[in-house]
């Protein structure tokens, strides 16, 4: 007979305090989880397989804790004392792991390098190490909830109610941890400080649990319970005794496994789908994760509230599973993707917009998933009886399914079926699970639950029959719309290849010009990762040509991040290059290499010197034993999730360690995508590693950092000129606007002393402080002002001529006429950022420079357009009007004034001469000595020529230089 004290009603205050304890525990646990996975990725690699194995090792530790709970009984310890001890273990080992992982990564580097040629062994070792490192804290985490459920106060509460409330508040704590950790703690305290904050939250939870156990009352148990749970007083140090005498309810456990597997697979699929609409940024991922957890937590609490009596509402399980299946389909069908159009790309969206999109897609299913857990656990407990064992075995199967779900989604469903069919398959999976919980055939239509289940099955079938199976195309189109259509809705580009890979959705867009390929753009999810347009080709090829010019003897080259292969193509033009290792984390990027075609492009991977390596670039630097003459790359934009670790001081240190003495590293610094302090933080990090650092750029804000491992050597003029005398590299350089060797020097912006000056008070971007690179939008005006300071001709020229770098590596014989090339760069930059008088700019280039590309650019053309236009013109006579502007620009760039006049007069005879072309024709008439023709043209068009700044400048210029008489 139970003592009277234990027949009284439960203590609501004690239950509420225990929920608060698990809420704090959830905050710390989620923060620890994100820190461990982030730092494990840095130590063991972030490739798809490495990341999957690290996640699996984390889940395996949780499952081990669940398994101990499923097969053990508490011995002498009070449950809350044991719980507090587990939380202290989590805090202690959690912080230790965060502080130790970077050191461990360095210590393991010799082993990685030794095993580099044995990749399966290397991959297996990384799993073993990550599992062993995370074993103690993750096992403790897996035990906390089952141990807590053994508290005497909770014994007086209906099991389903208790497990729902505890699990729900623990998950809601994880919501706070996801948001606080990513949006505040890491920025304020760094990774190490965030670990201490997480440890503090967990320790507070442990302390409160101890106080409740010590002073909370209601701690006396009946003699039967005491003899069952607290026997064997001889052991003070082994609080658990293996004892699993129950028969597992396999059908229910399969439901637990299936729901965990399907939901975690759905999480991967949802996140992949949302990235077509939302930037792949750390903040976006934190918001999406918070929505998932909020739904689960709210659902679990709701499920606990439904268990108001000891009666088991098992009849609701089939209906809940079918309802979840329906919600998976409907939340996708009615996803409000067009609610927040992003006019210039996914980075336009604010956090609340990301949250609304996530809620619309994820929250309903997450709510029902959370609702399912206490129902399943209550059913298991009815069979197993012991609460800790019931909780442990239910979570064991749920966690095991959750560990398998992401692997199935990433490696099987998404690559094979795509995200839409994967969603449909998950919905069908939920529906099929409902059959398993139907204990006997439904035979009576008089039962309300029977009618509900039949109705839900009918709804599932109806939705599948009427499902808009072509909806996926609209979502893909949304991701590419910014790049496919102009502001008037005219088609600029079309998709030529689409791949749903293991980690990203890739779309390759091709823009045609006059019916021929002009350039390609590679989209990863909803963001442009790389392109072959003329602007991008310029800086991407300079990643290669700068180090090739200053280290012409280079033989071994490393390219980190392949992109569209532009930099790889340029590196292979090096006169002495014998090997290039191209490393990219995505095999799909290499698979797309054969789909590009262009004037100056062939697949670099077909060159026998090229070796493609599917690997995380950072781990490659840690693990590969090879040394290189040149290391460069086409990295993702800095603010894309995960890319920050390719811009930190530790990453640049790895680059330097893989360089030979005198070797050169070049890396991207897109100041047009960064706030000024962020750009300076990257510069500071780079210069902290490379004392001999410098920055270079053409007339844009795609800056290039260059670091030399050592002092470098003086390069002779003839060594540099060989890049222009070689047919492939020479043609390449001229097409991107570097037409003579002197222009290479005119790319200079700043050297090490200048970097020191502008970053004196700026902390470097480091692994510990990744939030020095934030998700905040950049300030274009501030970037323009900052860049212009270093584009100004005379200061830039003086910095270059008096720099220690120029003294060390630049041949003085190329210093003649350098000023004119600095002038061209400044003029082009001002023209592109604030605008210019195009005719005045054209006059500068035609009469005071022999360069071709600036002439083409000021006339809205480029070398690629001209080549295509000339090819089209040869096939048709007369030349199509659409190619005439590029033909005219090409003629003027060649200084073939007569040909330009002929083309413009042809336009005039065909009635297609625009007002701008009229002014241009008048100008080149005078340039060719035909002032009378210019005056006649001006007089005949006087009524249509508007008096504006451009026309006034032209008449005054022609009058002053050529004796032209402007029209009255």
């Amino acid at each position: 007979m139970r003592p009277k004290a234990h027949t009284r009603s439960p203590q609501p205050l004690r239950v509420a305090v225990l929920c608060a304890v698990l809420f704090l525990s959830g905050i710390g646990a989620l923060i620890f989880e994100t820190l461990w996975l982030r730092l494990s990725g840095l130590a063991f690699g972030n490739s798809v397989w490495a990341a999957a194995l690290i996640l699996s090792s984390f889940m395996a530790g949780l499952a081990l804790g669940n398994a101990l709970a499923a097969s053990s009984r508490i011995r002498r310890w009070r449950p809350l004392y044991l719980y507090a001890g587990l939380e202290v273990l989590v805090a202690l080992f959690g912080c230790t792991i965060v502080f130790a992982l970077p050191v461990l990564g360095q210590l393991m580097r010799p082993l990685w390098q030794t095993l580099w040629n044995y990749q399966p062994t290397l991959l297996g070792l990384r799993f073993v190490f990550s599992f062993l490192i995370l074993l103690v804290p993750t096992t403790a985490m897996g035990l906390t909830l089952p141990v807590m459920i053994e508290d005497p106060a909770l014994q007086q509460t209906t099991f389903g109610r208790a497990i729902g409330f505890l699990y729900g508040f623990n998950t809601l704590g994880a919501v706070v941890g996801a948001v606080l950790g990513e949006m505040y703690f890491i920025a304020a305290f760094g990774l190490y400080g965030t670990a201490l904050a997480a440890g503090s939250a967990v320790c507070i939870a442990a302390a409160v649990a101890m106080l409740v156990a010590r002073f909370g009352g209601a701690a006396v148990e009946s003699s039967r319970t005491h003899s069952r749970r607290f026997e064997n007083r001889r052991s003070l140090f082994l609080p658990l005794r293996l004892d699993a005498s129950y028969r597992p309810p396999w059908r229910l456990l399969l439901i637990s496994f299936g729901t965990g597997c399907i939901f975690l697979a759905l999480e991967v699929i949802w996140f992949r789908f949302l990235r077509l609409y939302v930037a792949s940024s750390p903040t976006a991922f934190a918001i999406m994760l918070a929505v998932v957890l909020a739904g689960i937590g709210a659902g679990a609490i709701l499920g606990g509230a439904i268990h108001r009596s000891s009666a088991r509402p098992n009849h609701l399980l089939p209906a809940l599973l079918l309802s979840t299946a329906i919600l998976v389909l409907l939340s996708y069908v009615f996803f409000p993707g067009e609610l927040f159009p992003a006019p210039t790309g996914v980075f336009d969206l604010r956090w609340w917009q990301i949250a609304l999109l996530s809620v619309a897609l994820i929250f309903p299913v997450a709510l029902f998933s959370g609702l399912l857990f206490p129902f399943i656990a209550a059913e298991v407990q009815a069979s197993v009886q012991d609460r800790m064992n019931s909780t442990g075995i239910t979570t064991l199967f749920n966690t095991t399914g959750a560990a398998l779900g992401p692997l199935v989604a990433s490696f099987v469903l998404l690559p094979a079926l795509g995200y839409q069919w994967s969603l449909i398959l998950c919905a069908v999976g939920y529906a099929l699970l409902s059959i398993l919980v139907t204990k006997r055939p439904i035979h009576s239509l008089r039962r309300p639950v029977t009618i509900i289940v039949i109705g839900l099955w009918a709804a599932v079938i109806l939705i599948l029959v009427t499902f808009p199976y072509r909806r996926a195309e609209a979502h893909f189109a949304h991701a590419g719309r910014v790049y496919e259509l102009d502001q008037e809705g005219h088609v600029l580009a079309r998709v030529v290849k689409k791949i749903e890979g293991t980690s990203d959705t890739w779309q390759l867009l091709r823009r045609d010009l006059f019916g021929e390929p002009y350039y390609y753009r590679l989209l990863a999810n909803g963001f442009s990762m790389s392109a072959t347009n003329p602007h991008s080709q310029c800086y991407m090829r300079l990643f290669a040509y700068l180090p090739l010019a200053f280290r012409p003897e280079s033989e071994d080259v490393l390219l980190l991040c392949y992109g569209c292969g532009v930099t790889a193509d340029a590196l292979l033009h090096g006169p002495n290059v014998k090997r290039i290792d191209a490393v990219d984390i995505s095999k799909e990027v290499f698979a797309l290499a054969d789909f590009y075609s262009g004037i100056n492009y062939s697949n670099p991977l077909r060159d026998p010197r090229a070796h493609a390596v599917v690997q995380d670039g950072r781990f490659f630097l840690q693990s590969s034993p090879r040394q290189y003459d040149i290391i460069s790359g086409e990295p993702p934009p800095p603010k894309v999730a995960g890319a920050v670790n390719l811009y930190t001081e530790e990453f640049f240190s790895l680059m330097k360690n893989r360089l030979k003495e005198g070797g050169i590293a070049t890396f991207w610094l897109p100041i047009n995508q960064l706030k000024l302090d962020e750009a300076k933080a990257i510069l500071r990090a780079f210069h902290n590693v490379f004392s001999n650092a410098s920055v270079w750029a053409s007339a844009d804000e795609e800056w290039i950092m260059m670091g030399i491992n050592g002092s470098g050597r003086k390069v002779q003029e003839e060594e540099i000129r060989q890049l222009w005398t070689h047919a492939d590299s020479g043609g390449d350089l001229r097409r991107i606007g570097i037409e003579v060797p002197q222009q290479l020097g005119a790319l200079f912006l700043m050297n090490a002393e200048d970097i020191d000056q502008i970053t004196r008070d700026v902390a470097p971007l480091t692994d510990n402080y990744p939030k020095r690179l934030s998700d905040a939008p950049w300030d274009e005006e501030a970037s323009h002002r900052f860049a212009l300071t270093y584009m100004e001709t005379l200061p830039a020229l003086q910095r270059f001529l008096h720099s220690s770098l120029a003294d060390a590596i630049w041949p003085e014989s190329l210093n003649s006429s350098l000023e004119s090339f600095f002038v061209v760069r400044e003029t082009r930059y001002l023209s592109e950022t604030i605008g210019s008088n195009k005719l005045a700019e054209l006059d500068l280039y035609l009469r005071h420079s022999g360069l071709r590309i600036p002439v083409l650019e000021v006339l809205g053309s480029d070398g690629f357009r001209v080549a295509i236009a000339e090819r089209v013109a040869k096939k048709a006579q007369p030349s199509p009007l659409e190619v005439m502007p590029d033909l005219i620009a090409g003629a003027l760039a060649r200084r073939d004034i007569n040909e330009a006049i002929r083309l413009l007069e042809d336009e005039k005879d065909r009635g297609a001469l625009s007002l701008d072309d009229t002014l241009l024709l008048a100008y080149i008439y005078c340039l060719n000595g035909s002032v009378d023709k210019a005056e006649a043209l001006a007089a005949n068009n006087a009524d249509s020529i508007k008096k504006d700044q451009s026309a006034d400048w032209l008449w005054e210029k022609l009058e002053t230089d050529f004796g032209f008489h402007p029209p009255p």
Side-chain angles (χ1 to χ4, degrees):
M1 182 174 179
R2 291 179 181 270
K4 185 176 180 180
H6 292 282
T7 62
R8 66 189 181 187
S9 61
Q11 303 177 41
L13 179 60
R14 184 180 176 113
V15 174
V17 170
L18 294 181
C19 288
V21 167
L22 280 177
F23 183 87
L24 284 172
S25 174
I27 293 175
L30 196 283
I31 293 175
F32 273 136
E33 178 186 349
T34 57
L35 293 177
W36 295 339
L37 295 180
R38 183 194 292 257
L39 290 169
S40 295
L42 296 182
F44 303 128
N46 275 310
S47 67
V48 176
W49 279 105
L53 290 177
I54 292 169
L55 177 62
S56 296
S57 65
F58 174 84
M59 302 299 285
L62 292 179
L64 179 58
N66 299 152
L68 287 173
S71 56
S72 304
R73 302 284 179 91
I74 296 178
R75 282 184 170 180
R76 188 177 185 278
W77 291 36
R78 291 182 179 178
L80 289 185
Y81 284 169
L82 176 55
Y83 171 84
L86 292 171
E87 292 288 21
V88 170
L89 280 177
V90 171
L92 178 63
F93 279 87
C95 291
T96 302
I97 289 170
V98 170
F99 282 88
L101 271 173
V103 178
L104 182 64
Q106 296 177 11
L107 294 177
M108 299 303 297
R109 199 173 301 163
L111 178 61
W112 303 150
Q113 293 174 358
T114 302
L115 296 173
W116 179 251
N117 293 324
Y118 306 93
Q119 286 296 315
T121 304
L122 186 59
L123 198 61
L125 272 179
R126 284 187 277 175
F127 172 75
V128 171
F129 279 123
S130 60
F131 174 73
L132 292 176
I133 289 166
L134 299 177
L135 177 62
V136 173
T138 53
T139 301
M141 282 182 176
L143 275 166
T144 51
L145 179 61
V147 167
M148 172 73 81
I149 203 72
E150 286 284 84
D151 179 68
L154 296 176
Q155 295 288 328
Q156 304 172 55
T157 306
T158 304
F159 179 76
R161 186 176 180 83
I163 195 70
F165 284 163
L166 295 178
Y167 180 70
F169 277 98
N170 185 250
T171 307
L172 290 181
V175 174
V176 176
V179 175
L180 276 182
E182 188 62 45
M183 295 187 178
Y184 178 71
F185 284 148
I186 293 177
F189 309 120
L191 300 185
Y192 298 153
T194 301
L196 294 176
S200 299
V202 171
C203 286
I204 292 172
V208 174
M210 290 282 288
L211 291 173
V212 172
R214 181 70 178 85
F215 302 108
V220 181
E221 298 196 359
S222 67
S223 59
R224 181 176 64 84
T225 305
H226 182 275
S227 64
R228 183 168 62 86
R229 290 186 176 82
F230 300 111
E231 59 188 69
N232 205 345
R233 296 172 179 270
R234 292 171 296 177
S235 176
L236 294 174
F237 304 104
L238 296 175
L240 297 177
R241 174 175 61 84
L242 293 178
D243 183 6
S245 57
Y246 58 88
R247 182 178 179 180
W250 294 111
R251 183 181 298 186
L252 288 168
L253 295 177
L254 182 58
I255 299 295
S256 183
F257 174 88
T259 53
C261 181
I262 293 173
F263 187 78
L264 264 292
L266 274 174
E267 184 178 329
V268 172
I269 296 163
W270 283 329
F271 284 20
R272 173 75 66 83
F273 170 72
L274 281 172
R275 288 161 70 191
L276 296 175
Y277 289 85
V278 171
S280 297
S281 67
T283 297
F285 279 114
I287 292 171
M288 290 188 281
L289 178 60
V291 170
V292 170
L293 295 171
I296 295 174
I301 292 172
L302 179 61
I306 293 174
H307 287 77
R308 295 184 178 182
S309 67
S310 60
R312 295 182 285 119
N314 59 329
H315 57 279
L316 292 180
L317 267 177
L320 289 175
L321 288 164
L322 287 168
S323 298
T324 307
I326 292 171
L327 288 172
V328 170
L329 298 172
L330 292 183
S331 62
Y332 172 73
V333 170
F334 295 105
F335 177 73
E338 301 301 323
L339 188 62
F340 304 113
T344 59
V346 290
F347 271 104
D348 284 345
L349 296 185
R350 299 297 178 259
W351 71 266
W352 62 269
Q353 295 171 320
I354 298 171
L356 284 178
L357 291 175
S358 302
V359 167
L361 179 68
I362 297 171
F363 189 82
V365 181
L367 182 74
F368 271 69
S369 179
L371 190 61
L372 281 166
F373 182 77
F375 280 81
I376 297 171
E379 283 294 295
V380 172
Q381 194 266 338
S383 175
V384 174
Q385 296 301 315
D386 186 272
R387 292 191 167 203
M388 187 175 82
N389 292 163
S390 303
T391 306
I393 198 167
T394 304
T395 52
L396 169 62
F397 277 79
N398 192 259
T399 302
T400 305
L404 187 62
L407 301 179
V408 172
S410 297
F411 294 101
V412 180
L413 295 181
L414 287 168
L417 303 177
Y419 70 84
Q420 181 170 281
W421 276 104
S422 298
L423 277 168
I424 294 171
L425 191 61
C426 288
V428 171
Y430 274 123
L432 293 177
L433 285 177
S434 71
I435 298 174
L436 291 177
V437 290
T438 305
K439 295 185 178 180
R440 58 182 178 272
I442 296 174
H443 59 274
S444 176
L445 293 178
R446 295 177 182 178
R447 299 173 60 197
V449 67
T450 302
I451 298 173
I452 292 172
V453 169
I454 292 175
L456 290 172
W457 265 110
V460 170
I461 294 170
L462 179 63
I463 294 172
L464 290 174
V465 169
T466 61
F467 191 86
Y469 290 97
R470 298 185 63 83
R471 178 63 60 87
E473 298 304 319
H475 299 304
F476 287 125
H478 173 89
R481 188 172 302 153
V482 174
Y483 312 101
E484 292 180 48
L485 305 177
D486 61 18
Q487 294 180 345
E488 286 75 36
H490 300 140
V491 176
L492 294 177
R494 61 184 179 88
V495 177
V496 295
K497 184 65 176 177
K498 182 164 59 233
I499 299 177
E500 294 191 66
T502 52
S503 59
D504 294 284
T505 299
W506 300 93
Q507 293 189 86
L508 184 62
L509 308 183
R510 188 180 85 186
R511 180 175 180 181
D512 288 346
L513 182 68
F514 315 135
E516 296 193 18
Y518 178 32
Y519 68 79
Y520 294 82
R521 185 175 298 278
L522 181 61
L523 300 185
N525 307 303
F527 194 76
S528 176
M529 280 292 181
S530 189
T532 64
N533 60 319
H535 170 76
S536 298
Q537 289 220 31
C538 180
Y539 72 85
M540 289 178 183
R541 292 185 181 276
L542 286 175
F543 288 153
Y545 287 123
L546 275 170
L548 286 173
F550 297 132
R551 189 176 173 84
E553 68 272 23
S554 297
E555 296 181 349
D556 298 305
V557 175
L558 172 61
L559 176 65
L560 299 171
C561 307
Y562 184 77
C564 292
V566 174
T567 304
D569 185 61
L571 285 167
L572 287 169
H573 293 158
N576 297 301
V577 170
K578 295 180 178 178
R579 179 188 177 97
I580 174 173
D581 289 332
V583 180
D584 201 283
I585 198 169
S586 300
K587 65 179 182 180
E588 295 83 9
V589 170
F590 292 129
L592 289 167
D594 273 328
F595 288 88
Y596 302 93
S597 61
I599 297 163
N600 63 332
Y601 181 89
S602 59
N603 184 357
L605 300 181
R606 294 190 177 278
D607 192 299
R609 296 172 293 170
H611 303 269
V613 181
V614 180
Q615 184 56 269
D616 165 28
R618 180 161 173 153
F619 188 73
F620 182 90
L621 290 173
Q622 288 180 269
S623 307
S624 173
R626 187 178 293 274
Q627 297 289 111
Y628 297 93
D629 296 289
I630 295 173
I631 299 179
S632 189
E634 289 188 30
K639 294 188 181 245
V640 170
V644 63
N645 295 316
L646 299 179
Y647 293 86
T648 62
E649 184 173 323
E650 291 83 356
F651 174 78
F652 296 136
S653 179
L654 291 172
M655 288 180 70
K656 184 179 180 182
N657 289 337
R658 299 265 60 81
L659 282 173
K660 299 176 182 178
E661 181 65 27
I664 300 177
T666 55
F667 217 68
W668 188 33
L669 182 65
I671 65 167
N672 58 338
Q673 297 184 32
L674 298 165
K675 298 172 71 174
L676 284 186
D677 285 345
E678 295 169 349
K680 291 177 181 179
I682 296 174
L683 266 176
R684 182 72 262 170
F686 190 80
H687 184 37
N688 281 354
V689 174
F690 290 97
S691 57
N692 191 359
S694 54
V695 183
W696 307 71
S698 55
D700 54 31
E701 295 173 5
E702 312 285 358
W703 289 9
I704 301 170
M705 300 181 294
M706 186 175 81
I708 303 176
N709 186 19
S711 58
R713 71 169 181 86
K714 178 76 77 172
V715 184
Q716 301 302 312
E717 178 180 346
E718 51 272 20
E719 290 181 291
I720 291 183
R721 285 193 179 277
Q722 69 178 333
L723 286 175
W724 279 262
T725 57
H726 190 278
D728 290 338
S729 56
D732 213 8
L733 283 161
R734 294 183 185 94
R735 267 188 295 269
I736 64 173
I738 312 300
E739 303 177 49
V740 293
Q742 289 90 333
Q743 276 186 280
L744 207 62
L747 299 172
F748 178 83
L749 290 174
M750 63 183 82
N751 65 1
E753 292 79 10
D754 303 311
I755 297 173
D756 272 331
Q757 184 176 359
I758 67 172
T759 63
R760 184 181 301 116
D761 301 321
V762 178
L765 182 64
T766 63
D767 288 345
N768 187 36
Y769 284 95
K771 283 298 182 180
R772 287 174 182 159
L773 190 61
S774 71
D775 293 337
W778 43 86
D779 185 342
E780 291 186 1
E781 290 300 322
S783 297
H784 293 339
R785 291 192 299 270
F786 176 70
L788 182 58
T789 304
Y790 293 92
M791 293 284 180
E792 292 177 349
T793 298
L794 291 179
L797 176 62
Q798 292 304 311
R799 282 196 305 274
F800 179 66
L801 293 177
H802 296 94
S803 68
S804 57
L805 180 71
D807 289 340
I809 67 174
W810 182 255
E812 294 179 4
S813 56
L814 289 177
N815 285 344
S816 60
S817 69
L818 264 181
E819 182 176 350
S820 65
F821 299 110
F822 277 98
V823 169
V824 169
R825 184 181 69 171
E826 180 187 8
T827 305
R828 287 302 306 136
Y829 179 75
L830 290 172
S831 177
E832 293 298 322
T833 53
I834 63 176
S836 70
N837 183 329
K838 299 299 182 183
L839 285 173
E841 193 179 349
L842 179 64
D843 182 68
L844 170 68
Y845 303 144
L846 284 178
R847 301 174 66 189
H848 304 285
S849 167
L851 300 176
R852 294 178 60 252
I853 298 302
V855 174
L856 296 177
E857 291 175 343
V858 77
L859 292 173
S861 187
D862 55 67
F864 304 94
R865 292 183 65 100
V866 170
I868 296 172
E870 290 175 347
R871 198 157 53 234
V872 171
K874 289 180 180 178
K875 300 176 183 177
Q877 288 298 329
S879 299
L881 286 174
E882 61 182 356
V883 307
M884 294 296 280
D886 293 292
L887 295 177
I888 293 165
L892 287 174
R894 297 191 304 271
R895 275 51 175 190
D896 190 346
I897 304 300
N898 289 328
E899 177 63 10
I901 290 174
R902 186 191 70 79
L903 291 168
L904 283 165
E905 288 178 341
D906 185 27
E907 271 195 330
K908 177 171 170 282
D909 294 341
R910 295 162 68 179
L913 194 69
S914 66
L915 292 178
D916 288 340
D917 286 344
T918 300
L919 296 178
L920 177 61
L921 182 56
Y923 168 74
I924 62 175
Y925 272 148
C926 291
L927 206 62
N928 203 39
S930 303
V931 178
D932 54 340
K933 289 185 178 181
E935 291 174 343
L937 179 66
N940 292 336
N941 293 275
D943 294 338
S944 59
I945 296 175
K946 297 179 181 179
K947 290 201 173 283
D948 57 19
Q949 184 178 1
S950 180
D952 291 344
W953 175 88
L954 179 63
W955 301 148
E956 182 178 350
K957 181 69 174 177
L958 297 182
E959 184 177 12
T960 302
D961 290 3
F962 302 104
F964 172 84
H965 295 90

